[in-house]
Every structure is written in C-alpha cells, then in structure tokens.
Amino acid sequence: MERKGPTAPKDPEKKRPYFFIMQGKGIFGAPQPDGRGIQFIYENDGRIIDAAKLSGNVTDEEMLTNLKSTRGFRKMVHSIGVSVSSRINDEKVKFVMQMYPRNPGEPATEITKEFETDGMETTIDLADVSWVPTDYEIGQIRFEFPESGVQAMADVRFYLNDGFTAPPQPMEYAVDFESDGYKEMIARSLMKAGNTKRLEKVLEKAAMGEEVTLSFIGGSITQGAGAIPIHEKSYARLFANEFEKKFSKEGKVKLVKAGVGGTPSELGMIRFERDVLRDGQEQPDLVVIEFAVNDEGDETKGVCYESLVRKALALPWKPAVILLFAVFSYDWNLQDRLSPVGERYNLPMVSILNAVTPQFSLLPQDGRVISKNQFFYDVYHPSNLGHQVMCDSLLYVLDEVNAGRVGSNEEEIPVEDIAPVLGKDFEKVILLDRKEMPLLKSRFGITLFEMGAFSEIDKDLQKVEMDSEITQVPEFPYNWAHLDDAQGDDPFRLKLSCKKLLLVFKDSGLPTAGTAEVFVDGKKVMDADPLKTGWTHCNPVIILNEEETKEHEVEIRMAKDMESKKFTILGFGVVE
C-alpha cells in the first residue's frame, strides 16, 4: 500500500538547544524470563550526570544539579529525543525513563514511548507526561524489545526549555565523503541519465568561461528548509558553489533558487515565469524540478507536474532539465508516479530515495554510510548533511556526463510533438494578479473586473529565501485582500475568457481568517477555508477545467457570518 505524504509540511523552526546523554551507544536486548529483551542504561547512582558530561559536554553546575532531581529535570528539559537503529528497521522498541520516589513503595512516573528501530528520532514532549507528585529523581533508562538478542544503536538527547543553553555537541561518527560506501550511495541516486545533449551544452558553456545560470524550483527542501544557515547550506547553493569550482573556467555561476515551502507543482507551474524566469529577466541554462514530496495533494495526480516540465522544456533557448526526487524520513516519495514523465521526455532523473534508504537499515559495521538522524533535520527536511548528499547526487550526474560515461546526445523530438504521459492541460498557464491585470486585460478578454470589498493589499504573506539571500521575499505581493475592517460585503467579480482557471488564496493560522465562497458562472464551486492548513501558505485550487475557451464569470464573497474576517486572493492561474 502506498504511504501517503502530507500536502503542505511546515518549514521547520530552529531546534531547541539540546545535549546528548547517549550518542551512538550500542545496546543489546538481554533475555528476560518473559521472552523480551531489555537493555538497562542507568540506574540510580548518578551516572546520568556522568553521561551528560561525557556525551553532552555539559560542565555547567546548575544544569548538572538539575539532573539530580525530577523537579530540576522538569524545570530544565522541554522534551526528550530518542532514536534507535537496528539491522531490522521495522523492529519495535519501547523507550522507558523511570522516575524513582524519595521513599520506597511510593508511586513514580514512567515516561514511555514505542517506535520502530529505523534510526529516526522520536520526540517525547514532557508537557504531555502525567507526572506523579512523589517523583524524586531519574531512576533508570531502559530499552525494551519484544524479543531478546536484538543488537542496536541508540541516541538520547534532552531538548531544553527557554532560558537554558547547551554547550556545543560532539556529533556522532563523521560521514566519510571519500569512502567507497559514500560513492556507491551517491551512484545509486542516478535513476536515469536520459538524453544529455542539453546538459553537455551547459558544461561546454561553463568550460568556455561564460556565465551559467542554474535554477531550482520546488518546495521547502529547495527553499533550503533544514539547512543552517538556510541561504548558505541549501543543496541548491552548495551545488552552485561546487559547479563553479568544478566546471566553470573563470566564469560566473548565477543561482536562481525558487523553492516555496509546502507548495506543489500545481503552484510551481503558475509562478514559474515570475520566480524562475523573473518575468523574462533570466534565461536559466539548467532547471532542476523538485516536487516529489510535495505533490500528494495535487488534484491532477501528475498533470500539473508534467505541465511544468513541458513548460521548462519548451523554452526557446532549450535549457537542460533534471528531475530531482527528494525523500521523507519514512522512505516515501512520489517518484513512481512522476518518473514516467522523465521516461517520456528522456530526462535525467535523480532519486535521493534510491541513494539513501537502502543503507538506513544497516549498522555502521554493516556498511551504513549515514544514519537517518544525520540525514534528516526533522521528519520532512534534510539536515546540512542531507543537503550535501542531495548536492553530491546532482553533481554525480554532471560528472558522469562530463566524463562521457552516461547518457546519449541524439537529436531530441520537440516537446510539442511528444504526447504527454499524464497530461499537459496547464503547460500554458499564466499568472494573473493585481500587477498583471492591466497588462492581460485584452489578452484574456476581461470585460468585468470589480474588487468589491477585496480592495486592500495583504502584506502578511508567506515569505521565502530566494537565490543566495537570507532576506525573505513575500510570495504573491500583488493580491486582493478582504480585511477584517472591510467596508461593505460586495463580492470580487471577474469576467474573462479561458478554459481552465486556478484560484490561489492565502492559508492562515490566525483566528481572524475566514472562509470565502467561490462561484463560477453563478454556480458555487467551493468554500475556500484558509484555516484548513493552519499556517501562512499559498494554496492553489482548480475552479474551472474545461476543454474549450469560453467567457466565464468568477465571483468570490465572504461566507455568511464571515464578513468581519480576512481572506486574501493571491492571484489566478489562467489557461486561455
């Protein structure tokens, strides 16, 4: 059964400070009378303080004192992060941290959590624990396996409450980027080389010392989520830096990074001209498309993705296009759905899932190169090491092409002559917003346009770090907003000629946001509820999908009892 991914994962906030009490520690499920295997780590003799010193580099006396009592522990520690790796990654393990009372026989708290031994961190929030008043101190930590004889490795760290800081943490064993194992892992990422003629032209241009523009469009991973600092350690920035060192002969490399957190190719195809081509100011030599973990919510099940790919391939200067398939921590992406697009157009495809997941279940002595904890920052996003792996996987394609070991360079068939495998319904989609409205009025045959009570401009928008900059850029700043102090309740009305139409509206987590009703040709097509996702986010939805171009009237009004709420129309995607 295909495992489903979320449609809009949040970009992560910076993690709380933490220190390890255990890192890369070997554990073994010793036989118990009931058949289970249990590894006891600490018992009530102060060794948890020694562990904090040795594994976590903790020397602060106040912090060490807090570890002596349950009260101090709760004052200092916000949550516990636990991960276990074994040779069988779906093996079950239960983590137990047991408190001891001051007086024997009194009740005490047991903090427990069961999870799989796949190396991914599970977090236990202490605010969710039902504490017992007679708790006195941390008594023991143990790992319980359903059967004895399980050999594994474990990490345990304490995340700290506000006001506490942690010393720099010694990391687990380093990733050996020069090892045969690492090179084999990276080689697995090359899913298909395809027709490399366009890539060869990019490399030739760089070798001649000409400026090369490398562009990336995708979700939060392409934005750089999980990389610290995000503008320097994202896979796109790392790739641009390494490309310049390896392939450019004194020429400049320009980075165009256009990742937007939590958004699918359904939005990417609408913002392609603005965010990648920069309204005609950029002509990228390479376009990397990364939506394999964002497109589960795509209404068209891949038609929007293929439309975006065709849009890039059809550019008159013929940029190279690489399809990049990222991965979530539970070994999931949509490459099975999306890779047929790469096959149809004979494109290079790079799969991070293929590269890293086969070795996650191994122990270091069995050939593991990088653990899940090392690769992932959180459930959805790669860490700095993960971004480096993604960078190296893309570089591997170019290295192999440059050496003439992979690919072909036969004359390609024009994209307009290739029948789509999933669909091309939206390859001609154009963004229509407040800025473009006067310019496109004639083209779309706009005969009616009334802002009504949606006359304001919303400036509280989703913001992203573009290119190599740390400054965040607002998405869809040329919008129409109904604010909570709007005068009247007149609807937004637009009459235009088209055959397909998408509405892009702003999701929000604020209680001041309200639902709007969307009508097309007098028929209600949806209730646009900005609170469903729960965070400030750009949400594209198809509100018209027909085969012939006709005149249509769109009306958007606040739902009943929502007249005093906020709703923002970010723009429209129009296919004429």
Side-chain angles (χ1 to χ4, degrees):
M1 182 177 69
E2 183 183 44
R3 188 161 188 178
K4 303 299 183 182
T7 60
K10 292 186 180 182
D11 288 344
E13 299 176 356
K14 185 176 180 180
K15 280 187 177 178
R16 289 178 172 274
Y18 64 85
F19 62 83
F20 285 100
I21 60 167
M22 181 191 311
Q23 185 178 193
K25 183 177 181 63
I27 58 176
F28 180 79
Q32 304 297 307
D34 59 4
R36 293 180 301 157
I38 297 182
Q39 169 75 66
F40 294 93
I41 303 299
Y42 306 113
E43 300 211 36
N44 187 22
D45 60 1
R47 276 189 285 173
I48 193 168
I49 294 177
D50 291 336
K53 292 178 181 178
L54 293 173
S55 295
N57 201 26
V58 177
T59 57
D60 183 85
E61 287 301 324
E62 180 186 2
M63 295 175 69
L64 295 173
T65 298
N66 281 330
L67 291 175
K68 293 180 179 179
S69 68
T70 301
R71 181 178 179 182
F73 172 70
R74 293 177 61 184
K75 175 184 176 183
M76 180 174 67
V77 177
H78 174 274
S79 49
I80 306 170
V82 190
S83 63
V84 178
S85 302
S86 75
R87 290 186 172 94
I88 304 173
N89 62 13
D90 59 354
E91 187 87 60
K92 296 290 185 181
V93 64
K94 182 163 76 171
F95 168 82
V96 181
M97 175 180 278
Q98 182 173 330
M99 300 296 151
Y100 283 174
R102 180 187 293 272
N103 302 310
E106 292 179 335
T109 300
E110 281 194 1
I111 302 170
T112 66
K113 189 75 173 183
E114 186 175 63
F115 50 91
E116 294 182 347
T117 60
D118 62 359
M120 193 59 202
E121 184 174 78
T122 293
T123 304
I124 305 168
D125 192 331
L126 297 190
D128 297 331
V129 175
S130 298
W131 296 93
V132 175
T134 49
D135 289 335
Y136 178 64
E137 62 186 350
I138 301 172
Q140 64 173 234
I141 293 174
R142 64 182 184 269
F143 294 88
E144 301 180 358
F145 298 95
E147 298 178 350
S148 63
V150 178
Q151 182 180 356
M153 295 182 69
D155 292 347
V156 179
R157 52 182 155 182
F158 292 163
Y159 291 99
L160 304 180
N161 280 313
D162 295 341
F164 289 92
T165 59
Q169 294 300 289
M171 292 307 295
E172 61 180 311
Y173 72 93
V175 175
D176 185 354
F177 297 105
E178 300 302 321
S179 68
D180 291 340
Y182 186 83
K183 293 172 183 176
E184 291 168 5
M185 181 183 75
I186 296 300
R188 285 198 302 270
S189 69
L190 182 52
M191 193 171 178
K192 181 182 179 71
N195 186 341
T196 55
K197 187 171 185 176
R198 293 192 182 195
L199 273 179
E200 290 172 19
K201 288 183 178 179
V202 178
L203 293 168
E204 290 169 3
K205 185 175 181 180
M208 290 188 293
E210 298 181 37
E211 182 177 84
V212 172
T213 300
L214 308 175
S215 67
F216 300 78
I217 184 167
S220 56
I221 293 175
T222 292
Q223 183 182 340
I228 301 173
I230 192 170
H231 66 303
E232 293 181 355
K233 297 298 183 180
S234 70
Y235 80 86
R237 173 70 182 275
L238 295 173
F239 177 81
N241 292 347
E242 289 300 314
F243 183 98
E244 186 168 4
K245 293 176 186 176
K246 295 186 73 170
F247 303 113
S248 182
K249 184 180 179 181
E250 300 180 0
K252 293 183 179 179
V253 171
K254 189 171 187 179
L255 172 62
V256 175
K257 176 166 69 75
V260 177
T263 65
S265 56
E266 192 170 351
L267 186 72
M269 67 183 187
I270 296 173
R271 61 184 182 84
F272 181 78
E273 283 80 6
R274 184 197 66 190
D275 286 356
V276 175
L277 305 185
R278 305 291 159 88
D279 294 325
Q281 298 302 306
E282 297 293 347
Q283 292 190 0
D285 299 285
L286 171 65
V287 181
V288 176
I289 299 175
E290 179 270 314
F291 282 107
V293 291
N294 282 67
D295 267 10
E296 179 60 29
D298 172 22
E299 304 166 83
T300 67
K301 302 301 181 186
V303 174
C304 290
Y305 181 83
E306 185 168 4
S307 297
L308 172 60
V309 171
R310 289 177 66 98
K311 185 187 281 277
L313 286 171
L315 292 170
W317 59 90
K318 296 185 176 181
V321 175
I322 295 178
L323 307 185
L324 175 61
F325 304 135
V327 65
F328 278 164
S329 66
Y330 40 86
D331 304 345
W332 175 92
N333 70 15
L334 287 168
Q335 67 186 42
D336 288 346
R337 177 202 288 178
L338 303 179
S339 60
V341 175
E343 293 289 347
R344 177 59 55 94
Y345 303 96
N346 203 17
L347 297 176
M349 292 187 284
V350 174
S351 169
I352 307 305
L353 183 150
N354 289 3
V356 299
T357 58
Q359 56 87 60
F360 278 151
S361 61
L362 304 176
L363 296 180
Q365 59 266 36
D366 297 329
R368 190 180 75 195
V369 177
I370 185 171
S371 70
K372 276 194 175 183
N373 254 2
Q374 288 177 305
F375 183 89
F376 287 101
Y377 176 90
D378 58 15
V379 176
Y380 307 121
H381 306 101
S383 64
N384 281 11
L385 286 173
H387 277 277
Q388 185 66 58
V389 169
M390 294 183 70
C391 164
D392 290 347
S393 297
L394 288 171
L395 286 171
Y396 179 76
V397 182
L398 273 66
D399 283 333
E400 294 297 288
V401 171
N402 199 43
R405 289 189 287 264
V406 299
S408 61
N409 61 359
E410 70 269 12
E411 287 298 321
E412 64 180 78
I413 301 171
V415 66
E416 57 268 22
D417 294 336
I418 301 176
V421 62
L422 300 176
K424 61 175 184 177
D425 295 359
F426 302 95
E427 66 175 322
K428 303 294 185 183
V429 68
I430 297 172
L431 170 64
L432 176 66
D433 60 8
R434 186 187 284 257
K435 178 183 177 183
E436 301 297 329
M437 180 66 75
L439 304 175
L440 296 173
K441 184 176 181 180
S442 175
R443 177 170 179 174
F444 292 144
I446 297 174
T447 58
L448 173 66
F449 171 58
E450 297 175 354
M451 291 185 288
F454 296 77
S455 59
E456 300 298 324
I457 297 176
D458 190 346
K459 296 183 179 179
D460 179 24
L461 303 170
Q462 183 175 10
K463 299 178 178 66
V464 299
E465 299 84 1
M466 304 284 278
D467 307 337
S468 299
E469 303 300 319
I470 189 62
T471 303
Q472 292 188 321
V473 177
E475 282 291 304
F476 296 92
Y478 306 106
N479 54 68
W480 299 280
H482 181 286
L483 301 183
D484 49 7
D485 58 353
Q487 299 299 312
D489 59 356
D490 292 337
F492 176 97
R493 298 176 66 200
L494 173 65
K495 187 178 289 186
L496 76 169
S497 293
C498 63
K499 59 183 176 182
K500 301 178 190 301
L501 188 65
L502 297 97
L503 165 68
V504 185
F505 67 94
K506 187 185 91 168
D507 284 326
S508 175
L510 299 177
T512 53
T515 298
E517 297 176 325
V518 182
F519 299 82
V520 177
D521 299 330
K523 181 180 178 180
K524 184 176 176 180
V525 295
M526 71 174 299
D527 288 313
D529 181 0
L531 294 176
K532 279 186 177 180
T533 300
W535 62 295
T536 303
H537 164 257
C538 307
N539 192 343
V541 290
I542 299 170
I543 59 174
L544 176 71
N545 192 358
E546 296 185 351
E547 296 303 317
E548 302 294 332
T549 298
K550 296 178 183 177
E551 186 176 69
H552 297 281
E553 183 172 346
V554 178
E555 182 177 298
I556 301 174
R557 62 169 65 243
M558 298 305 295
K560 185 179 179 181
D561 299 326
M562 295 285 178
E563 294 84 0
S564 62
K565 299 286 188 177
K566 297 179 180 180
F567 185 88
T568 302
I569 304 166
L570 296 173
F572 298 90
V574 186
V575 180
E576 30 184 350

